Amino acid sequence: MYRVILICCVTFAVLLFPLNAQAQPAANTLEMHNHQPKSRSVEDLFKQGVYQTLVGKYRAAIADFSQVILLQPNNATAYANRGLARAAKGDRQDALKDFDRALSLNPDSAIAYYNRGFTLSKLEDYHGAIADFDRAIRIDPEDPSAYHCRCLVRYKLGDMVGVAEDLRTVAQIYLQHGKLDAYTNLLAELKSLHELSHPKRERSSARAVISYRRGGFSQ
């Protein structure tokens, strides 16, 4: 679960990347550097922060996004990305603060809701996680990631009706986009959760069989 969601989250960091930072004309870049030889632009810091996140250098990414926030205190995307880096680093409480701030600045960010929901699920706040996944789905009903995660969290809560509902929906979206591997991974994750949640029952059954067989032999 964590690995799959982490990959999704890193992808989200790229999706959050401002368009003007993705495709900045070379002439404009040269002119900007000529005027600011000793300081880095917000766009450059964003690029570097996203790159550092992609390669797993979360401390450096946090520093880059913090610089963006210093220059642009109301930049919701910077808070969302810094929250992502903090969550990946394991600083989940600080990550939640960044996601909260990002959503206060941009309440329509499905990605921020998704990332906050995933962080809450890692903190075992499953009801809070589902609430955030619900919001992400209302904003972007075609994104399979929130259904995928909500399906797993619902399983943890024992909501089998909800699991079946999400499984049907996410299966349609994955298959429509040719993402059979992602659907297969979800099934494998559900199977793993099932095996983890029933170990005692399985061991008890095994002991019962052994006891019965021993009783039979003793007779």
Side-chain angles (χ1 to χ4, degrees):
M1 178 178 176
Y2 182 78
R3 186 179 64 178
V4 173
I5 303 305
L6 181 58
I7 292 172
C8 292
C9 288
V10 170
T11 302
F12 289 154
V14 178
L15 294 176
L16 283 167
F17 198 27
L19 292 178
N20 62 343
Q22 291 181 23
Q24 185 177 16
N28 290 347
T29 303
L30 180 60
E31 181 180 354
M32 178 178 59
H33 283 300
N34 287 337
H35 284 84
Q36 299 179 4
K38 294 185 179 180
S39 63
R40 306 200 66 183
S41 69
V42 169
E43 290 81 4
D44 285 342
L45 288 167
F46 248 112
K47 289 179 182 180
Q48 182 167 287
V50 171
Y51 173 77
Q52 302 287 20
T53 304
L54 287 169
V55 299
K57 295 183 178 180
Y58 303 123
R59 289 183 184 276
I62 291 167
D64 287 331
F65 292 128
S66 294
Q67 279 294 108
V68 174
I69 291 168
L70 186 63
L71 295 170
Q72 296 183 348
N74 294 323
N75 190 320
T77 306
Y79 281 104
N81 277 302
R82 190 174 70 176
L84 165 64
R86 283 176 162 172
K89 182 175 173 289
D91 298 335
R92 292 170 185 155
Q93 294 298 336
D94 286 337
L96 290 177
K97 293 176 184 177
D98 277 342
F99 294 137
D100 290 345
R101 180 59 176 157
L103 288 166
S104 71
L105 293 167
N106 179 14
D108 296 323
S109 175
I111 292 169
Y113 277 122
Y114 168 83
N115 283 334
R116 190 175 72 176
F118 174 66
T119 303
L120 289 172
S121 75
K122 299 305 294 181
L123 292 169
E124 299 185 359
D125 180 358
Y126 298 131
H127 293 287
I130 287 178
D132 275 347
F133 293 140
D134 288 346
R135 294 185 185 100
I137 288 168
R138 282 198 294 270
I139 296 169
D140 186 2
E142 294 302 314
D143 177 22
S145 300
Y147 293 104
H148 184 128
C149 294
R150 191 175 69 177
C151 181
L152 296 171
V153 174
R154 280 176 162 176
Y155 186 93
K156 288 178 178 289
L157 290 173
D159 179 9
M160 295 302 112
V161 174
V163 169
E165 176 186 299
D166 281 341
L167 194 58
R168 283 193 299 270
T169 303
V170 78
Q172 292 176 354
I173 298 174
Y174 276 146
L175 297 179
Q176 284 174 1
H177 293 86
K179 296 182 177 180
L180 182 59
D181 288 346
Y183 178 61
T184 302
N185 287 339
L186 175 56
L187 294 179
E189 288 171 289
L190 287 171
K191 180 181 178 182
S192 177
L193 285 176
H194 177 76
E195 291 173 349
L196 288 172
S197 62
H198 296 88
K200 292 182 180 179
R201 182 184 305 176
E202 292 171 1
R203 287 199 295 267
S204 297
S205 298
R207 285 197 297 269
V209 171
I210 293 171
S211 176
Y212 172 77
R213 288 178 177 173
R214 286 176 178 170
F217 284 126
S218 65
Q219 293 176 352

